[in-house]
Amino acid sequence: MYQKKPYLRPPAGHAAATFAADFFGGIAVGLVLGALIALVVRKVRDLGLETPTEHVLFEVLTPFVTFLAAEELGVSGILAVVSAGLLMRLSPRGLTVEASRHALASESVWELLTFAINGTLFVLLGMKLPATLGPILHVSQGTDAAAVCGLVVLATAIVVGIRLAWVLALEKIHRARHAHEYAGTGTAALVRSAAVTCLSGPKGAVTLSIMLTLPYLTADGTAFPQRSLLIFVASGVILLTLLLANFIVPVLAPAEDTTEADAALARARAQILRAVIDELAERATPETRAATRLAIRSYRERLDSVLEVEASAETVRDLRVRVIDEQIAFVSRQAAEGRADAELAERYAAALEQLRGAYELHHGVSGGRARRRAHVMRVSRALRGQDGEEQRHELAELHRAAERHAVDALTAMIGELTDEQRRAARMIAGEHRAHLAMSLSGGYGEGARLRQRVREQARDIEAEGLGHELEQIRRLHDAGHLSTRATRELREEIYLLQMGLDAR
């Protein structure tokens, strides 16, 4: 197991040389090891032996190997890891299918690891602040508390000041090279931009890591001088920079109001999805009709998700209850007019009443898609129950008729609804159409082989629909209805959906 080396107190005259050797030696070792590991990875890739799993494994093991090797050589392991990581990150990579797969896998793994490590570090930060301040106050009987806090403020001012001066210099050089882009902006804008970049930078994860590597004892067995003080000052600097970022940055750079932009993007999504649904429906053939219904059901669920943000949960819930009342009345009329078996109609109406009761119980909460799906599952179990084939068929027909009536009832209500209720009505109608498509596509009582074939066809149709979405996005962008940023965001969503479809 790796152990911290004891601290060797160097002569005062050699302190700068020792620091330089540790600092620049760590960077040099990291660069050398990073280049060697990159060379090994490239050779493995050339042999065709690299997979996304092995690629990620190389990247995850690299920091540990680099750190241990640098510490054994007597230089900074943390700086070696940072330099090796920067070298590997900045090394050129070709745009290939395999490189893209590796990049996606690597990004996902590192995003998770970064989140977990940062969370752990800041938990340690909360633990170390009182643990390190306690011994200081105990030794000094509290008389040095103000001085210690003053050291924290001074160190923070030095860190922020150096960082600000560096960013100001870089920003000034950048603006000088692109003067035409910044014409009309004065010194205040330059300072504000640099201050935002400075305060929004790294918050001290590396700093805390370095402080925690300080040994407890020196070579002669005595306590490392001022170890608790150093850790407390570092922790205090991290805390103050976090506070500055949280309270000063919003004042310097207020967040833009994206409400209208989000609403416009939601409208564009809805327009695109409706166009794709219509196109898929037009292309359906007798052989692909069942699979097309399943694919359209998936698209309608996505459309419902877009529309759901445009209507409150209370409005959606009330409208769902109203539609269920229409369905219950319809089922009762079917039984009274002899178009449905009275017993089956009563069973189906009881299921609808149970669904309505669930909505009324969860007042102000929608959750409609999950409850509608549970209702359909109850109908599905009834169709597979102990009833005879004729009764199952009759119950299936009653269910389809009730779903059609729900869509018709919503269509008839449109004229008397508010704008918000209309958006909710379109979403709820999409749910009923999706369940109707499921029942018509052989979702109940069909053989497993047939259902599997229909699902495979539906996946191919969904892939075709994603291609139509990209075409719709291009058309809207060319017509000036979508900004470049929104177009990029929508395309990235489609690319993710395509990858998810391939993984299913």
Side-chain angles (χ1 to χ4, degrees), residues 72-127:
E72 284 299 319
L73 293 173
V75 295
S76 172
I78 290 178
L79 291 175
V81 171
V82 172
S83 59
L86 287 173
L87 177 67
M88 296 181 68
R89 182 67 177 176
L90 297 177
S91 59
R93 300 179 184 180
L95 184 60
T96 64
V97 174
E98 287 301 318
S100 300
R101 286 199 181 102
H102 297 163
L104 287 171
S106 175
E107 185 176 355
S108 299
V109 170
W110 281 112
E111 186 175 353
L112 172 64
L113 290 176
T114 302
F115 178 82
I117 293 171
N118 277 333
T120 303
L121 281 173
F122 286 110
V123 169
L124 287 174
L125 175 64
M127 296 169 60

Side-chain angles (χ1 to χ4, degrees), residues 16-352:
T18 302
F19 173 79
D22 194 48
F23 183 88
F24 293 106
I27 294 175
V29 169
L31 292 175
V32 171
L33 290 177
L36 288 175
I37 294 172
L39 179 62
V40 172
V41 171
R42 191 177 299 112
K43 291 296 182 183
V44 172
R45 185 182 302 132
D46 292 340
L47 294 173
L49 302 176
E50 187 185 31
T51 66
T53 302
E54 292 165 351
H55 177 81
V56 172
L57 185 61
F58 267 113
E59 287 196 342
V60 172
L61 290 179
T62 294
F64 296 98
V65 173
T66 305
F67 181 87
L68 294 175
E71 289 291 325
E72 284 299 319
L73 293 173
V75 295
S76 172
I78 290 178
L79 291 175
V81 171
V82 172
S83 59
L86 287 173
L87 177 67
M88 296 181 68
R89 182 67 177 176
L90 297 177
S91 59
R93 300 179 184 180
L95 184 60
T96 64
V97 174
E98 287 301 318
S100 300
R101 286 199 181 102
H102 297 163
L104 287 171
S106 175
E107 185 176 355
S108 299
V109 170
W110 281 112
E111 186 175 353
L112 172 64
L113 290 176
T114 302
F115 178 82
I117 293 171
N118 277 333
T120 303
L121 281 173
F122 286 110
V123 169
L124 287 174
L125 175 64
M127 296 169 60
K128 286 297 179 182
L129 275 172
T132 53
L133 183 60
I136 296 172
L137 296 179
H138 178 72
V139 172
S140 61
Q141 285 81 41
T143 56
D144 291 340
V148 171
C149 292
L151 282 176
V152 171
V153 174
L154 177 62
T156 303
I158 293 173
V159 169
V160 173
I162 293 174
R163 189 184 293 173
L164 180 60
W166 177 259
V167 174
L168 268 172
L170 294 179
E171 184 74 12
K172 192 155 186 157
I173 294 172
H174 173 75
R175 294 195 176 208
R177 290 178 177 177
H178 303 84
H180 63 283
E181 297 181 12
Y182 298 97
T185 59
T187 305
L190 171 66
V191 174
R192 182 169 60 252
S193 175
V196 170
T197 304
C198 166
L199 296 176
S200 302
K203 298 300 182 295
V206 175
T207 301
L208 186 61
S209 302
I210 293 174
M211 289 298 103
L212 293 178
T213 60
L214 292 175
Y216 289 95
L217 301 175
T218 61
D220 57 7
T222 59
F224 187 94
Q226 304 297 335
R227 183 177 188 275
S228 295
L229 177 62
L230 290 172
I231 294 177
F232 178 80
V233 170
S235 302
V237 170
I238 296 171
L239 182 60
L240 281 184
T241 53
L242 281 172
L243 293 175
L244 288 172
N246 288 338
F247 292 103
I248 304 300
V249 171
V251 176
L252 296 175
E256 296 180 1
D257 186 7
T258 59
T259 304
E260 182 57 34
D262 292 341
L265 189 59
R267 289 193 295 270
R269 282 196 182 100
Q271 180 181 347
I272 292 168
L273 292 174
R274 289 192 185 102
V276 173
I277 289 171
D278 293 340
E279 191 161 357
L280 291 179
E282 290 177 3
R283 291 172 175 262
T285 64
E287 294 77 14
T288 63
R289 185 168 290 116
T292 301
R293 289 192 184 109
L294 282 180
I296 289 177
R297 183 187 70 179
S298 175
Y299 269 94
R300 290 200 181 278
E301 287 183 350
R302 288 177 57 196
L303 180 59
D304 292 347
S305 299
V306 175
L307 296 175
E308 195 165 10
V309 300
E310 300 180 355
S312 67
E314 183 75 18
T315 299
V316 174
R317 184 196 66 86
D318 291 342
L319 197 55
R320 282 199 175 107
V321 170
R322 184 174 172 183
V323 172
I324 292 172
D325 287 336
E326 291 282 347
Q327 286 184 294
I328 293 173
F330 170 78
V331 171
S332 299
R333 286 197 303 272
Q334 291 290 97
E337 295 171 3
R339 298 179 182 178
D341 181 80
E343 181 182 353
L344 291 179
E346 184 178 352
R347 285 165 51 186
Y348 190 79
L352 287 172

